Amino acid sequence: MRIITGKYKGRHFDIPRSFKARPTTDFAKENIFNVLAGYIDFDGAKALDLFSGTGSITLELLSRGCSRVVSIEQDRDHHRFICDCLKKLNDKQALPLRADVFRFLKSCHEQYDFIFADPPYALKELPQIPDLVIEKKLLKPDGIFVFEHGKDYDFSQHPYFREHRAYGSVNFSIFTSAAPASEADSPSVEP
């Protein structure tokens, strides 16, 4: 796993073979962050990384200048790996929490500029996650939510949906904190 750009660009972290988490591929990660450059300036942003897995997105967000990144991962070994990576970077801007994402979402009262969620593709509650994030008002005004999911899901009819991007088998749906004024404002764009 490597960090694509920013102050930690090029740093590599070896993921233990025993891990069941699949990090977002470098190709998909680089492309989605290129798209996001048109939506948000990460410098100084407050971010939330749900289902953090290996911490790949958390590390990328820190490298790109986020002032605070809250990382939620339930698995003990994965959480420890994320903590070890952060220790190697000596970065104090992250708060890695070992917690259940759904319990965290129900109790969270903070708002974020950027939220990323990469749940297991087979998770039965996966389709509910965009509604949970939006209904809890976890996004600040003009906030962006990126949801990674499998090809079998289509969120284009969601009122806060902005666009869809697919890179190989990795799919991203992008949502904003405000519903578009008209259908013309919410394109579904494929690369």
Side-chain angles (χ1 to χ4, degrees):
M1 172 178 83
R2 76 179 171 94
I3 299 175
I4 305 295
T5 197
K7 63 184 176 183
Y8 303 127
K9 179 181 179 177
R11 292 288 298 267
H12 286 265
F13 298 91
D14 294 324
I15 300 167
R17 292 179 187 264
S18 61
F19 274 23
K20 49 190 176 256
R22 43 148 186 78
T24 303
T25 65
D26 286 350
F27 174 74
K29 184 167 59 171
E30 184 169 11
N31 280 288
I32 194 62
F33 273 97
N34 286 340
V35 169
L36 291 172
Y39 282 97
I40 186 170
D41 179 4
F42 288 104
D43 193 36
K46 187 175 170 186
L48 175 62
D49 182 11
L50 301 171
F51 304 96
S52 298
T54 62
S56 173
I57 298 299
T58 292
L59 299 176
E60 194 69 40
L61 291 167
L62 291 169
S63 186
R64 290 169 186 260
C66 284
S67 62
R68 177 172 162 85
V69 180
V70 178
S71 174
I72 310 298
E73 175 54 47
Q74 186 171 12
D75 184 277
R76 181 190 67 223
D77 294 334
H78 295 180
H79 176 260
R80 185 180 308 125
F81 178 77
I82 294 167
C83 291
D84 290 345
C85 291
L86 293 169
K87 190 181 287 186
K88 288 176 185 173
L89 294 177
N90 195 27
D91 196 306
K92 309 288 190 229
Q93 303 302 106
L95 176 61
L97 299 176
R98 183 171 170 232
D100 174 80
V101 165
F102 295 100
R103 285 185 182 161
F104 174 84
L105 290 175
K106 287 178 183 172
S107 64
C108 181
H109 299 291
E110 290 187 72
Q111 286 191 315
Y112 300 89
D113 300 293
F114 179 76
I115 299 174
F116 186 92
D118 179 11
Y121 288 1
L123 186 71
K124 66 179 169 58
E125 299 93 349
L126 186 145
Q128 303 160 17
I129 294 170
D131 285 334
L132 289 172
V133 168
I134 300 295
E135 288 169 9
K136 283 289 292 176
K137 298 184 180 353
L138 298 178
L139 286 173
K140 290 182 180 179
D142 300 322
I144 300 296
F145 170 46
V146 174
F147 190 44
E148 183 174 334
H149 55 84
K151 63 179 171 47
D152 297 332
Y153 294 96
D154 177 6
F155 295 96
S156 61
Q157 299 307 306
H158 194 283
Y160 294 89
F161 175 84
R162 280 297 187 265
E163 66 177 286
H164 172 261
R165 297 289 176 128
Y167 305 104
S169 63
V170 181
N171 289 264
F172 297 102
S173 289
I174 301 173
F175 302 83
T176 59
S177 57
S182 70
E183 289 298 315
D185 292 339
S186 62
S188 180
V189 180
E190 298 295 328

